Amino acid sequence: MGTGPDAESLEPKAFANTMYQAILFLPLAGAIITGFFGRALGARASELITCAFMLVAAVLSWIAFSQIALAHEAATVKIPLFRWLTSGDLDVNWSIRVDALTAVMLVVVNTVSSLVHVYSIGYMHEDPHRPRFFAYLSLFTFAMLALVTSDTFLQMFFGWEGVGLMSYLLIGFWYEKPSANAAAMKAFIVNRVGDFGFALGIFGVFAVFRTIDFDTVFAAAPSKTGHFMTFLGGQYDTMTVLCLLLFMGAMGKSAQFMLHTWLPDAMEGPTPVSALIHAATMVTAGVFMVARLSPLFEQSQTALNFVVLIGATTAFFAATVGLVQNDIKRVIAYSTCSQLGYMFVACGVGAYGAGIFHLFTHAFFKALLFLGAGSVIHAMHHEQDMRNMGGLSGKIPWTWGLMLVGTLALTGVGIPGFGGMAGFYSKDAIIDAAFVAHANVAHVYAFDLLVAAAFMTSFYSWRLMFMTFHGQTRADRDTYDHAHESPMVMLVPLIVLALGAIGAGALFEGFFIGEGYAEFWKGALFAGSGNTIREDVRHIPLWTSWAPVVAMASGFALAWVMYIARPAWPAAIVALPGVNGIYYFLLNKWYFDQLYHWVFVVPALWLGRLLWKGGDGAIIDGLGPDGIAASVQRVMRSAVKLQSGFVYHYAFVMLIGVTLIATVFAMPADFRHYVSDALSHLFGRGA
């Protein structure tokens, strides 16, 4: 090792570069080892290897986060790994990009993933395919890490598609279940719709900027403001078109309104998969992408307004559906969908720090709730219907207490000016940001819907707690008697996540949205010259700060009355005229699945059947194998029969031929001429 000041300055840099590469490639190494050699190593060795690699990656991620948080200078690090692609003007290197935004995502992804890995040791202990499961988990994590460390659009697309592929494999992990296969296919296909727009957006970026390198595109983006592109004879704002196409990908990956239908069905996968998808990896990719591309989105107010509109609508829609769900995992799934809407509203109003802050806190309490639900399902022998639960607080007290912490964090329990749970800091910051952006109609719409969603979030969250853990049990006696607490290998990850759900908001508020904002982000999040959202939030009226608190308390009170004080009321209310229709409308998720079935699936099946029966069967097979070819084959089969191989058969045929010739020549000459003229006339006319 060298000496002197140069060596001293290079050593920390070399260590940091090695650390970032280890964070990225340790999950990949675990996936390769267990994926190719898992059968030989055995299930226990596969679990230990992948968990050890993930825990090391998580610790290194926190070290990277602390270094960037404490650094006083710009902290964007680029580590070139290799030249990836060169074609004409397109020259792409694979590089690791690490800045404050990347560091936050590394912490979120690796912390949650490592805890999910450890939790899965207990949850999946009876599954015979554990090596494959842990290999998939680690590969899923690597794909997300490749996405968040990307330095070009192409590298981001690689991670983007890798996450989609691994979600397909994990949702359909129990491939012998038809419902799991159907859910995996649905997630894959719906995401392809969004990814089609995302790919078009990347093509458009290259067409406009002649590069797909982030920094080069970001630097040139302001110069394209006000420019137009021509398409089908129309003129369209260039930056608006690019941002809307890119956001289409975010709508699919983050399950936003109209491209949301895959997310609840993803519950068919094992519960640890649900926690990883919903809390840390797949669904957060869209929010990360919009935040990373903030220099582009800030150039189009139309695109930002659309992001706000979709986010607010998703938050409200998913909350209404969550009110009536009975599957414990689906309630939490719709909660994820709703909370993602909050994050997009924050990005749409220019409060990118608040959006990423909520992504950060949400990872802790949402993973806690999903893994807690897995503990309940484990105790109830795979029962997921809350109507068959109740009275479990005494049976599984640790799970009850930890899910209580997650519920308090999700509903945003806290007091303005004093503090509260993690969700209180981040979710209320988004609602405040939506209020101060009141000059735009879309933002007024967003504030109203977010407050309404806060009320519904509180109601369905406490409904879940009361139906699952309190009141008289509705489970069958044998299941209830044998209900038991989960082992410590499952409870320890829940305890760690609970600590984050309690303290992550208070500890990190200053970095994400407070006084340390500029020093922490160091330009990783871009704000346009007219973006004054952070300053405006400081001057909101008092009632605005209390609005989400009142909504939260009202939701809790209503849930307590209906499921504890007056448990007969829900059934009676649903039976009321008019209410029954609303109930089934929400229970059927606004009938989006049925609508898409008739609009897309039925026509696709009809077209496929037409091409199969009419095109392939009637035309191609009818004229080909079953038509002319079959006729030729029949004739040739008959002709072949003439070739018997017996000499007397051939002699008999020759005798018949000689007889016919002799007969012709024995005819009168006039008759022969008549026949000859008739034949000549016939064939001459035909010619």
Side-chain angles (χ1 to χ4, degrees):
M1 188 69 66
T3 59
D6 290 339
E8 293 176 2
S9 62
L10 287 174
E11 287 178 12
K13 182 178 179 181
F15 171 77
N17 291 352
T18 303
M19 177 178 67
Y20 296 139
Q21 293 179 58
I23 292 172
L24 175 60
F25 291 113
L26 278 174
L28 177 61
I32 291 174
I33 293 172
T34 55
F36 286 100
F37 308 106
R39 289 187 179 182
L41 293 171
R44 176 58 66 186
S46 299
E47 294 169 347
L48 294 177
I49 290 171
T50 52
C51 289
F53 284 8
M54 283 308 312
L55 288 169
V56 172
V59 171
L60 293 177
S61 298
W62 279 100
I63 294 174
F65 179 86
S66 63
Q67 288 181 346
I68 290 177
L70 298 176
H72 296 288
E73 67 279 353
T76 299
V77 177
K78 293 186 180 183
I79 307 170
L81 298 181
F82 53 85
R83 171 168 277 183
W84 188 15
L85 179 65
T86 301
S87 177
D89 293 339
L90 186 63
D91 189 3
V92 183
N93 294 325
W94 188 298
S95 302
I96 299 177
R97 178 192 183 98
V98 181
D99 56 13
L101 180 58
T102 306
V104 171
M105 296 303 299
L106 292 178
V107 165
V108 169
V109 172
N110 284 328
T111 300
V112 174
S113 182
S114 61
L115 295 174
V116 167
H117 274 71
V118 174
Y119 177 93
S120 299
I121 294 176
Y123 191 87
M124 301 292 290
H125 73 282
E126 295 179 349
D127 196 288
H129 306 293
R130 294 197 300 280
R132 177 165 61 90
F133 179 78
F134 280 87
Y136 284 175
L137 281 184
S138 292
L139 195 56
F140 194 3
T141 306
F142 166 73
M144 188 63 189
L145 294 174
L147 193 160
V148 302
T149 58
S150 58
D151 193 39
T152 66
F153 282 91
L154 185 60
Q155 191 176 337
M156 176 181 279
F157 191 73
F158 170 84
W160 195 270
E161 293 303 307
V163 168
L165 170 63
M166 296 315 302
S167 70
Y168 168 79
L169 294 174
L170 283 168
I171 294 169
F173 178 76
W174 288 324
Y175 55 84
E176 295 180 353
K177 290 176 56 180
S179 58
N181 286 326
M185 286 294 296
K186 187 175 183 179
F188 193 79
I189 292 170
V190 173
N191 271 275
R192 297 292 71 70
V193 175
D195 293 356
F196 176 70
F198 188 52
L200 289 179
I202 295 175
F203 297 156
V205 167
F206 181 73
V208 172
F209 296 98
R210 307 309 301 170
T211 181
I212 54 174
D213 176 73
F214 282 156
D215 287 338
T216 307
V217 172
F218 295 163
S223 66
K224 301 298 181 181
T225 303
H227 287 211
F228 291 85
M229 62 171 57
T230 302
F231 181 71
L232 296 178
Q235 294 287 321
Y236 304 95
D237 183 79
T238 299
M239 296 307 302
T240 298
V241 171
L242 295 180
C243 290
L244 290 179
L245 287 173
L246 294 168
F247 181 65
M248 186 176 173
M251 288 176 63
K253 200 67 70 183
S254 293
Q256 291 301 282
F257 189 66
M258 295 186 292
L259 293 179
H260 65 277
T261 53
W262 68 270
L263 192 62
D265 289 7
M267 298 303 96
E268 291 294 337
T271 299
V273 173
S274 303
L276 193 57
I277 288 176
H278 285 248
T281 53
M282 189 164 177
V283 296
T284 59
V287 179
F288 164 80
M289 185 265 285
V290 174
R292 171 64 78 203
L293 304 184
S294 54
L296 298 184
F297 280 86
E298 284 290 305
Q299 309 305 321
S300 173
Q301 188 59 48
T302 302
L304 291 174
N305 289 343
F306 185 76
V307 173
V308 171
L309 179 66
I310 292 296
T313 304
T314 304
F316 179 82
F317 154 75
T320 63
V321 178
L323 294 173
V324 297
Q325 297 299 304
N326 296 309
D327 185 303
I328 187 172
K329 288 171 65 176
R330 282 181 179 264
V331 175
I332 305 173
Y334 277 105
S335 168
T336 298
C337 194
S338 182
Q339 297 304 305
L340 288 164
Y342 278 85
M343 299 175 203
F344 279 114
V345 168
C347 293
V349 301
Y352 300 101
I356 299 300
F357 187 27
H358 195 48
L359 184 157
F360 181 79
T361 60
H362 175 266
F364 290 103
F365 57 74
K366 186 52 57 71
L368 173 60
L369 287 171
F370 263 116
L371 297 183
S375 183
V376 172
I377 295 168
H378 180 269
M380 295 294 290
H381 303 284
H382 305 291
E383 177 61 67
Q384 295 184 200
D385 195 326
M386 296 186 299
R387 293 171 295 184
N388 299 325
M389 298 181 186
L392 292 175
S393 59
K395 287 283 187 177
I396 45 176
W398 276 94
T399 300
W400 169 79
L402 292 166
M403 286 198 72
L404 177 63
V405 171
T407 301
L408 293 171
L410 171 61
T411 56
V413 172
I415 301 175
F418 290 91
M421 305 295 285
F424 166 76
Y425 290 92
S426 57
K427 186 167 70 174
D428 288 19
I430 294 174
I431 296 175
D432 293 345
F435 175 80
V436 298
H438 59 274
N440 191 292
V441 175
H443 302 160
V444 176
Y445 171 84
F447 175 78
D448 294 340
L449 262 61
L450 292 186
V451 173
F455 164 77
M456 291 185 284
T457 299
S458 180
F459 176 83
Y460 66 64
S461 297
W462 289 109
R463 173 178 176 265
L464 182 151
M465 290 295 296
F466 295 148
M467 290 184 68
T468 303
F469 294 104
H470 299 277
Q472 296 295 321
T473 185
R474 297 172 298 281
D476 65 82
R477 179 52 56 184
D478 184 64
T479 301
Y480 183 76
D481 289 343
H482 288 86
H484 56 86
E485 190 62 89
S486 298
M488 287 306 296
V489 73
M490 294 171 64
L491 291 178
V492 169
L494 294 178
I495 294 171
V496 175
L497 291 169
L499 295 175
I502 294 170
L507 287 174
F508 297 102
E509 180 189 23
F511 293 116
F512 284 91
I513 59 175
E515 296 299 327
Y517 177 92
E519 186 177 352
F520 174 71
W521 291 110
K522 302 178 182 68
L525 298 178
F526 179 80
S529 57
N531 188 330
T532 60
I533 195 79
R534 292 188 57 251
E535 180 62 29
D536 296 340
V537 167
R538 300 176 183 176
H539 307 293
I540 58 173
L542 184 62
W543 71 267
T544 305
S545 299
W546 280 93
V549 177
V550 172
M552 172 270 299
S554 301
F556 166 79
L558 182 60
W560 183 85
V561 170
M562 295 184 67
Y563 293 96
I564 298 296
R566 297 290 187 270
W569 279 15
I573 292 173
V574 168
L576 294 174
V579 177
N580 188 263
I582 297 174
Y583 171 77
Y584 281 104
F585 177 73
L586 299 180
L587 189 64
N588 286 282
K589 302 160 285 188
W590 291 26
Y591 292 101
F592 268 102
D593 284 314
Q594 292 85 341
L595 176 65
Y596 287 174
H597 176 77
W598 286 106
V599 173
F600 299 112
V601 178
V602 170
L605 290 174
W606 177 85
L607 179 61
R609 191 173 291 109
L610 175 65
L611 295 175
W612 171 34
K613 295 292 188 180
D616 188 54
I619 298 175
I620 298 175
D621 288 344
L623 295 178
D626 298 333
I628 298 172
S631 300
V632 172
Q633 188 178 33
R634 286 194 298 271
V635 171
M636 295 306 298
R637 190 179 293 115
S638 301
V640 166
K641 292 179 180 179
L642 297 175
Q643 303 295 326
S644 64
F646 294 107
V647 174
Y648 63 86
H649 284 173
Y650 301 145
F652 179 70
V653 172
M654 292 173 64
L655 178 62
I656 292 175
V658 170
T659 302
L660 289 175
I661 294 172
T663 301
V664 170
F665 281 98
M667 291 179 181
D670 293 340
F671 182 75
R672 291 201 307 271
H673 288 307
Y674 172 77
V675 173
S676 176
D677 291 341
L679 292 174
S680 299
H681 178 72
L682 175 63
F683 287 106
R685 185 174 62 182

